Amino acid sequence: ESTDGSESSAGFPPGFLWGSATAAYQIEGAVREDGRTPSIWDTFSRTPGKVLGGDTGDVAVDHYHRMRDDVRMMADLGLSAYRFSVSWPRVQPGGSGPASGRGLDFYRALTDELLAAGITPSLTLYHWDLPQELETPRAGGSAAEGGWPQRDTANRFAEYAGLVAEALGDRVDLWTTLNEPWCSAFLGYGSGVHAPGRTDPVAALRAAHHLNLAHGLGVQALRAALPGRARIGVSLNPSAVRPLTRSADDLDAQRRIDALANRIFTGPMLSGAYPSDLMADTAHLTDWSFVREGDAATAGAPLDFLGINYYAPTVVSGSPPGGDADRHDDHGASDHSPWPGAQSVTFHRPPGELTAMDWSVDPTGLYDLLTRYAREAPGLELMVTENGAAYDDKPGPDGAVHDPDRIRYLHGHLAAVRRAMLDGADVRGYFLWSLLDNFEWAYGYSKRFGAVYVDYETLERTPKSSARWYGRVARTGVLPSAVPDAAR
Ligand code: GBH
């Protein structure tokens, strides 16, 4: 039924990867099995007040025990790729030393199942679950807190990357070092809404640097261990940041947030240097002496693809027009900012329709990011490694789950991807976040991002109507010109 629509605006090229994405701590459960040790998210989620409803990933959606059924479901839907992450404390308990054979066996089995089903595996090494032992050593270590603000964590990551590459390099061709280092650094150590929950702007900047360094050292370790056919990238969550007005103050707020959200990572990773305006904007906080000679160049190790995770745009102004009442952010009760040195910047809710996260539906932001990085990094392949939305999905009386809002969201964003491709962006794949409803970090199980509904009592899976709609797009490679009537 596949049409050669590669020249048309609705048809994606043959070989385009149609995937879904997940992350280990959000779906696996089995946190105490087969030698796994705690990660910072185990500790954080068990700390009262940190996660809505006191939810943890102890069971999550039990993917660790239902992996074969989950792969069969992807194959039945017609998906051609699957992006998952490896749990570091499962495959290298404690964060250093030898690999755990039992931990690696799970990912060997997962990738075998995927390959047997004709699904391309895309492996992310780090999706936020740092071994707790690297954050706070139980004994022997220095009294200081560790984690990403400490330089040695970057070396530990490179060692871990090499170990996973040795084990899985024969069967996985798509490798991603880090998922959204902005979140690890600024939500983990700045605002404290993510693990490990620290609130120190300088620790957050140090973390960002050591994540850049870890990425570069990780790329080196992967290149050394993987066969030549492997493709290596990183997944960022670049902010599509717009000024509220064209005033000088608002344009400067846009520049500052672009530096703190985007160029702090793309500077080193794509050009081997930190932006000078970023260092000037934060000079009152730190002299950046944690950046050593050669670090930014290390972070700039050549990449094969850039992964872009996109949900919603950001609108900023330079001075609060209506005082604090206008202030909007999605960082809950935290008084701490994830934007070091940007106290003058106010965040505004963009106009238009909102998802269950209160994030606005705005496909133009995705178009803008894809065409921006196509321009700034010519020759680099792009991949949409996450895009999707949470809605208040509920099974109907017949047990079916109809999610027309999600179909419209996906349709709009896929059209934006195709438009960006026709305007020169070399996009090789799209991964819907997420395959399954899952543990949505600080929101626990209260937000459903899945194309597949999960009943949290029985853990039974039910593909929503969006899963069937997306599966058809994946099988045909053609985006229908209109969304189904039910989704209007
Ligand atoms: C991704 O994070 C994660 O990779 C994935 O694990 C997660 O489940 C999924 O998205 C859905 O949340 O208010 O200015 O701080 C996305 C995290 C959410 C971080 C939006 C930035 C808004 C910026 N991003 N958030 S701001």
Side-chain angles (χ1 to χ4, degrees):
E1 65 181 318
S2 134
T3 13
D4 182 17
S6 49
E7 298 303 306
S8 81
S9 66
F12 286 71
F16 189 85
L17 295 175
W18 294 100
S20 66
T22 63
Y25 189 71
Q26 295 182 272
I27 64 164
E28 285 181 0
V31 295
R32 294 181 187 83
E33 284 178 50
D34 295 333
R36 182 188 180 278
T37 61
S39 76
I40 55 175
W41 268 97
D42 295 85
T43 308
F44 188 75
S45 66
R46 286 174 202 148
T47 307
K50 297 301 183 187
V51 174
L52 205 64
D55 293 343
T56 72
D58 285 5
V59 178
V61 297
D62 197 35
H63 172 72
Y64 194 72
H65 300 116
R66 294 164 194 252
M67 174 271 282
R68 287 186 173 78
D69 293 340
D70 289 343
V71 173
R72 195 166 318 118
M73 199 170 57
M74 291 179 226
D76 289 346
L77 289 171
L79 307 188
S80 60
Y82 176 54
R83 174 173 179 256
F84 63 95
S85 81
V86 171
S87 161
W88 184 350
R90 200 183 281 294
V91 306
Q92 191 187 33
S96 58
S100 154
R102 284 181 297 167
L104 286 170
D105 280 347
F106 173 73
Y107 299 102
R108 285 193 192 99
L110 167 63
T111 46
D112 281 350
E113 291 289 318
L114 290 167
L115 293 169
I119 298 171
T120 301
S122 170
L123 183 155
T124 297
L125 286 163
Y126 186 75
H127 200 127
W128 308 353
D129 44 359
L130 187 74
Q132 182 63 45
E133 184 67 15
L134 297 184
E135 178 66 33
T136 43
R138 265 167 303 201
S142 75
E145 288 162 304
W148 290 110
Q150 292 299 324
R151 185 179 179 90
D152 195 47
T153 303
N155 298 318
R156 298 278 69 76
F157 175 78
E159 186 184 299
Y160 157 68
L163 165 160
V164 179
E166 292 292 345
L168 300 171
D170 59 343
R171 62 197 82 197
V172 177
D173 290 345
L174 289 176
W175 291 76
T176 295
T177 54
L178 306 175
N179 178 72
E180 301 189 354
W182 182 85
C183 295
S184 298
F186 295 102
L187 301 181
Y189 297 90
S191 70
V193 301
H194 280 188
R198 289 172 58 188
T199 53
D200 170 351
V202 177
L205 291 168
R206 292 176 60 102
H209 176 59
H210 297 136
L211 284 153
N212 278 321
L213 185 61
H215 161 78
L217 295 171
V219 171
Q220 290 174 7
L222 293 177
R223 292 273 180 229
L226 294 173
R229 63 171 188 273
R231 285 152 70 208
I232 302 173
V234 64
S235 285
L236 302 179
N237 60 310
S239 178
V241 52
R242 302 171 186 157
L244 185 64
T245 73
R246 306 297 299 173
S247 75
D249 280 353
D250 293 359
L251 289 168
D252 195 60
Q254 179 194 33
R255 178 198 59 72
R256 266 176 184 272
I257 298 306
D258 181 48
L260 282 165
N262 304 333
R263 290 182 286 115
I264 190 172
F265 299 107
T266 56
M269 289 180 181
L270 303 182
S271 329
Y274 278 101
S276 51
D277 62 329
L278 166 74
M279 301 175 86
D281 287 348
T282 52
H284 61 294
L285 296 170
T286 173
D287 62 5
W288 287 76
S289 55
F290 47 82
V291 180
R292 297 192 192 160
E293 182 89 40
D295 282 2
T298 300
L303 292 180
D304 302 310
F305 68 90
L306 174 65
I308 290 181
N309 296 354
Y310 173 79
Y311 292 87
T314 304
V315 176
V316 296
S317 66
S319 46
D324 272 356
D326 259 13
R327 236 184 156 79
H328 159 68
D329 61 50
D330 64 358
H331 302 292
S334 170
D335 295 333
H336 300 276
S337 165
W339 306 106
Q343 286 84 351
S344 63
V345 176
T346 300
F347 290 78
H348 303 265
R349 175 170 288 144
E353 204 187 312
L354 300 177
T355 70
M357 299 296 285
D358 276 351
W359 299 346
S360 69
V361 179
D362 189 336
T364 305
L366 180 55
Y367 173 87
D368 291 346
L369 289 171
L370 292 171
T371 49
R372 172 184 183 173
Y373 291 112
R375 243 185 350 261
E376 291 186 6
L380 193 61
E381 294 178 5
L382 301 175
M383 205 98 82
V384 177
T385 40
E386 287 181 25
N387 176 240
Y391 289 104
D392 294 323
D393 307 308
K394 285 180 193 68
D398 58 351
V401 184
H402 293 293
D403 56 344
D405 290 338
R406 184 171 288 100
I407 295 180
R408 277 190 297 114
Y409 182 97
L410 296 174
H411 186 277
H413 287 78
L414 284 167
V417 171
R418 188 62 192 136
R419 209 152 41 83
M421 292 168 76
L422 294 170
D423 289 344
D426 185 10
V427 186
R428 300 300 180 105
Y430 174 92
F431 292 79
L432 186 166
W433 185 272
S434 179
L435 176 67
L436 299 153
D437 291 336
N438 63 46
F439 176 80
E440 177 51 30
W441 307 113
Y443 294 89
Y445 298 98
S446 69
K447 303 293 179 199
R448 295 179 177 274
F449 274 91
V452 174
Y453 183 86
V454 177
D455 178 326
Y456 288 118
E457 299 295 319
T458 62
L459 295 172
E460 196 190 324
R461 279 87 159 123
T462 306
K464 303 174 190 176
S465 43
S466 63
R468 307 210 179 280
W469 179 88
Y470 180 61
R472 186 174 166 76
V473 176
R475 287 191 309 275
T476 58
V478 176
L479 190 62
S481 57
V483 293
D485 281 347
R488 281 173 187 283

